[in-house]
Amino acid sequence: MAHTARPAEAGRTGRPTLAVVGATGAVGTVMLQILSQRADVWGEIRLIASPRSAGRKLAVRGEETEVVALTEEAFDGVDIALFDVPDEVAERWAPLAAARGAVVVDNSGAFRMDPDVPLVVPEVNPHAVRTRPRGIVANPNCTTLSMIVALGALHAEFGLRELVVSSYQAVSGAGHAGVRTLREQLSLVAGTELGTSPGDVRRAVGDNTGPFPEPVALNVVPWAGSLREDGWSSEEMKVRDESRKILGLPALPVAVTCVRVPVVTTHSLTVHARFEGEVTVDKAREILATAPGVVLFDNPAAGEFPTPADVVGTDPTWVGRVRRALDDPTALELFVCGDNLRKGAALNTAQIAELLVAER
Ligand SMILES: NC(=O)c1ccc[n+]([C@@H]2O[C@H](COP(=O)([O-])OP(=O)(O)OC[C@H]3O[C@@H](n4cnc5c(N)ncnc54)[C@H](OP(=O)(O)O)[C@@H]3O)[C@@H](O)[C@H]2O)c1
């Protein structure tokens, strides 16, 4: 019997085929929501995850779609493949997908610093997407992405010279496991008087602290990622290296401290940015108020500044507390918030994929 295309399918004939690899994960889940919300430029959307998830059905564009296991054949006919999987899985499978003809947009850390892989933020360096000798485009880390759109706009006007950053990172930055851990710990400490003597929170939540080295409920943890040289964390090195690469400033001095806080989703950062010459708050506010992808929300007298509780689920980078440094007329102080699963991961990936479609 001849296959009769449903109206939605018929309208999609001739459009590129998209694969979402890691469709069941924290980033993958938000990716499916974003693909359902943005202009539909795709033909087939194929959902791929580990063999554990094969056969599960997930909704994308209002249609139930079956998840298939990651195999080389899963990339047959795929034009663009979005990878939202752990580093080691991306490292092995992204080149295989590229060899089968797909352009890969990878959300992991596997290729970001590869000189033959562009690291792209569409509002800051969209031109970089065109040069991709390995057939792979990398998506920056969520902490870098949560601030770089605002910084890129300020850099274009003032010329960035130095960056000092502290992050306040949400637990979903560590995937589903991070969210599960915070919620379990919160249920163990809720309604108690804990948090008043050394170690009482740790005893209540037990030894299993999930992906974090310390309890994260009722706490802040000055650590994200794994140990690198001289006491730096991998997350801190990513913010430094990736900011330099995206902004095209390979020698930019960057000092970073990454901290995990008991927030489900949305990373926040305090930023001290020093520029080439004197800056004014008025000019900085004008730039931030008009930069694409940035919302200036800055009226402390009225109690208005961005916080994760309000920013979560939104697309832009929110900026508040804009001040000129007290002791340096060339520097600005900012507080920045961005949803780490949307602009910090899935949204930026979707925007890169749309740049690739426009190129076709
Ligand atoms: N969370 C964030 O804020 C964030 C931001 C930017 C970038 N990233 C990066 O995005 C990637 C995904 O992160 P996440 O937070 O979404 O992680 P996650 O919640 O742990 O999800 C991991 C995904 O990868 C799949 N997967 C794991 N092992 C696999 C294998 N051997 N073969 C095929 N699929 C496999 C899982 O499928 P199953 O469900 O079948 O196991 C799941 O879909 C990571 O590289 C992460 O560093 C995360």
Side-chain angles (χ1 to χ4, degrees), residues 22-28 49-50 52-53 70 84-87 89 107-108 112 142 172-173 175-176 340-341 344-345:
T24 50
V27 176
S50 80
R52 294 180 289 274
S53 303
L70 179 56
D84 301 317
V85 293
D87 289 3
V89 181
N107 228 323
S108 82
R112 290 181 189 138
C142 48
S172 62
H176 278 328
N340 53 297
L341 297 176

Side-chain angles (χ1 to χ4, degrees), residues 95-121:
L96 293 172
R100 271 185 122 87
V103 179
V104 171
V105 186
D106 180 42
N107 228 323
S108 82
F111 302 99
R112 290 181 189 138
M113 296 316 296
D114 183 327
D116 288 331
V117 173
L119 184 63
V120 178
V121 181

Side-chain angles (χ1 to χ4, degrees), residues 17-21 44-49 67-81 83 93 96-97 100 102:
T17 295
L18 181 75
V20 181
V21 188
E44 181 192 352
I45 296 183
R46 201 171 298 171
L47 307 186
I48 302 175
V67 176
V68 299
L70 179 56
T71 59
E72 284 192 48
E73 296 70 38
F75 295 104
D76 284 346
V78 170
D79 297 291
I80 297 174
F83 271 62
W93 287 92
L96 293 172
R100 271 185 122 87

Side-chain angles (χ1 to χ4, degrees), residues 246-269:
I246 297 160
L247 296 172
L249 297 171
L252 182 72
V254 182
V256 198
T257 301
C258 286
V259 180
R260 191 75 67 180
V261 294
V263 166
V264 174
T265 295
T266 293
H267 289 350
S268 308
L269 299 104

Side-chain angles (χ1 to χ4, degrees), residues 32-332:
L32 301 192
Q33 291 164 10
I34 285 175
L35 290 170
S36 306
Q37 292 162 349
R38 292 180 75 80
D40 184 11
V41 296
W42 305 107
E44 181 192 352
I45 296 183
R46 201 171 298 171
L47 307 186
I48 302 175
S50 80
R52 294 180 289 274
S53 303
R56 266 183 73 185
K57 291 213 165 136
L58 301 174
V60 59
R61 298 183 297 190
E63 296 160 27
E64 291 289 302
T65 307
E66 190 167 313
V67 176
V68 299
L70 179 56
T71 59
E72 284 192 48
E73 296 70 38
F75 295 104
D76 284 346
V78 170
D79 297 291
I80 297 174
L82 311 182
F83 271 62
D84 301 317
V85 293
D87 289 3
E88 63 281 9
V89 181
E91 209 161 352
R92 169 160 179 231
W93 287 92
L96 293 172
R100 271 185 122 87
V103 179
V104 171
V105 186
D106 180 42
N107 228 323
S108 82
F111 302 99
R112 290 181 189 138
M113 296 316 296
D114 183 327
D116 288 331
V117 173
L119 184 63
V120 178
V121 181
E123 295 88 342
V124 182
N125 62 343
H127 52 276
V129 83
R130 292 197 290 268
T131 311
R132 41 173 196 274
R134 297 189 65 181
I136 301 172
V137 179
N139 197 62
N141 158 274
C142 48
T143 314
T144 311
L145 267 175
S146 297
M147 66 171 187
I148 203 76
V149 178
L151 273 179
L154 293 169
H155 168 56
E157 178 73 25
F158 294 140
L160 191 60
R161 281 292 165 267
E162 185 182 1
L163 210 48
V164 181
V165 175
S166 290
S167 74
Y168 304 75
Q169 295 182 220
V171 294
S172 62
H176 278 328
V179 177
R180 223 171 17 245
T181 298
L182 175 61
R183 292 205 190 284
E184 282 167 10
Q185 292 183 357
L186 285 176
S187 71
L188 291 168
V189 300
T192 70
E193 302 288 317
L194 291 165
T196 53
S197 64
D200 62 355
V201 172
R202 188 194 313 276
R203 283 190 293 279
V205 305
D207 291 336
N208 184 1
T209 52
F212 311 117
E214 299 288 334
V216 69
L218 303 185
N219 210 5
V220 296
V221 182
W223 191 256
S226 50
L227 184 62
R228 292 290 182 265
E229 271 177 41
D230 298 327
W232 294 96
S233 74
S234 55
E235 193 79 358
E236 289 159 351
M237 297 312 291
K238 286 177 191 176
V239 173
R240 178 178 198 250
D241 296 342
E242 295 178 21
S243 298
R244 288 173 158 191
K245 183 168 175 177
I246 297 160
L247 296 172
L249 297 171
L252 182 72
V254 182
V256 198
T257 301
C258 286
V259 180
R260 191 75 67 180
V261 294
V263 166
V264 174
T265 295
T266 293
H267 289 350
S268 308
L269 299 104
T270 57
V271 177
H272 170 91
R274 188 169 60 77
F275 299 94
E276 274 166 21
E278 284 203 13
V279 291
T280 65
V281 167
D282 283 350
K283 184 66 188 169
R285 291 173 64 94
E286 185 190 317
I287 295 164
L288 293 167
T290 51
V294 177
V295 172
L296 178 67
F297 187 56
D298 187 26
N299 185 1
E304 290 179 355
F305 25 70
T307 67
D310 293 320
V311 167
V312 61
T314 68
D315 287 346
T317 302
W318 293 68
V319 186
R321 307 294 326 279
V322 181
R323 290 148 293 156
R324 193 162 84 164
L326 285 173
D327 302 312
D328 183 352
T330 69
L332 290 169

